């Protein structure tokens, strides 16, 4: 993965809460509880997210001995997702409804029957679809309260923040260009409304 070897793009976060005295014990427990689990058709038929060994995405038997390097915790995040093309789902549902009406010898199904057919078709299709897997890497400097995540995706950034918080009990805040500007303005005693700035202009 990029943080360990090679180049990487990332999003940066800061930890908003102070570390508890027993943070290593709590982290160990959280990593075991929220380690990656395969998609379960009954519990989470569409997606699954969890921690893995950053050097081996199939290793979910996590311990701090594998992940702790000085003041850095290096984590892998695995996300499996299943999706069905909307047009194909619609066609299969229509077929299922026709078959159900033919079997029951009726011209119209009740709302509950239509819902049941739709759910059955969807669950059957999801079960037959292989998941797509995405792997990410996160590095947490727990002494400085800084976390780096190997992605530019804002959507996954939100998912990661939720996973980190339930795992560690610590809230994250993303560090953006605007938030950095606000810090500088505050620390230097300057005045100005940074919300009027356009982030895209910083890249010019």
């Amino acid at each position: 993965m990029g943080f360990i070897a090679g180049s990487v793009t990332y999003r940066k976060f800061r930890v908003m809460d102070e570390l508890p005295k027993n943070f290593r014990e709590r982290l160990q427990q959280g990593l075991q509880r929220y380690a990656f689990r395969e998609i379960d058709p009954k519990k989470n038929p569409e997606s699954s997210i969890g921690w893995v060994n950053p050097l081996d995405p199939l290793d979910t038997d996590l311990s701090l001995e594998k992940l702790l390097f000085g003041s850095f915790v290096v984590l892998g995040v695995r996300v499996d997702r299943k999706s069905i093309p909307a047009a194909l789902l619609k066609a299969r549902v229509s077929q299922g409804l026709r078959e159900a009406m033919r079997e029951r010898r009726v011209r119209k199904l009740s709302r509950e029957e239509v819902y049941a057919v739709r759910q059955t078709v969807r669950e059957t299709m999801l079960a037959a679809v292989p998941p797509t897997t995405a792997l990410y890497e996160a590095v947490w400097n727990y002494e400085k309260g800084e976390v780096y995540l190997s992605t530019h995706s804002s959507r996954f950034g939100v998912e990661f923040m939720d996973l980190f918080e339930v795992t560690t009990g610590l809230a994250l805040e993303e560090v953006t260009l605007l938030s950095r500007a606000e810090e500088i303005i505050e620390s230097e005693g300057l005045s100005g409304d940074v919300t009027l700035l356009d982030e895209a202009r910083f890249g010019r």
Side-chain angles (χ1 to χ4, degrees), residues 14-163:
R14 67 165 63 90
V15 178
M16 303 299 295
D17 304 311
E18 293 186 5
L19 289 179
K21 294 182 179 180
N22 62 337
F23 100 92
R24 293 194 181 193
E25 179 182 345
R26 291 181 60 179
L27 176 60
Q28 177 68 67
Q29 293 174 349
L31 290 173
Q32 292 176 347
R33 181 176 182 181
Y34 293 100
F36 177 81
R37 302 288 184 267
E38 299 289 342
I39 286 178
D40 185 333
K42 295 182 179 180
K43 296 180 180 179
N44 53 337
E46 294 187 64
S47 65
S48 182
I49 179 174
W51 305 107
V52 296
N53 185 330
L55 298 177
D56 182 1
L58 299 181
D59 180 11
T60 58
D61 183 18
L62 303 179
S63 64
L64 291 185
E65 288 74 16
K66 297 178 182 179
L67 308 174
L68 192 59
F69 301 88
S71 60
F72 294 89
V73 182
V74 183
L75 301 162
V77 187
R78 177 176 167 181
V79 184
D80 279 13
R81 301 188 195 277
K82 289 188 175 187
S83 62
I84 305 170
L88 181 57
L89 175 60
K90 182 179 179 180
R92 291 286 178 83
V93 169
S94 296
Q95 182 183 45
L97 293 174
R98 289 194 299 270
E99 292 175 354
M101 286 187 289
R102 187 165 51 251
E103 290 176 0
R104 299 170 192 179
R105 297 181 180 181
V106 297
R107 292 185 178 182
K108 186 177 181 180
L109 299 174
S110 68
R111 180 178 300 180
E112 292 76 15
E113 290 172 326
V114 171
Y115 177 80
V117 170
R118 187 184 303 276
Q119 287 298 104
T120 299
V121 171
R122 186 169 175 274
E123 290 171 2
T124 300
M125 293 182 69
L126 281 174
V129 173
T132 58
T133 298
L135 300 171
Y136 304 90
E137 187 178 353
V139 175
W140 174 21
N141 184 330
Y142 64 83
E143 290 185 349
K144 293 185 177 181
E146 298 175 343
V147 180
Y148 297 86
L149 176 65
S150 64
T151 183
H152 266 333
S153 168
S154 58
R155 173 189 172 187
F156 181 69
V158 173
E159 291 182 283
F160 171 77
M161 291 171 69
D162 291 340
L163 178 63

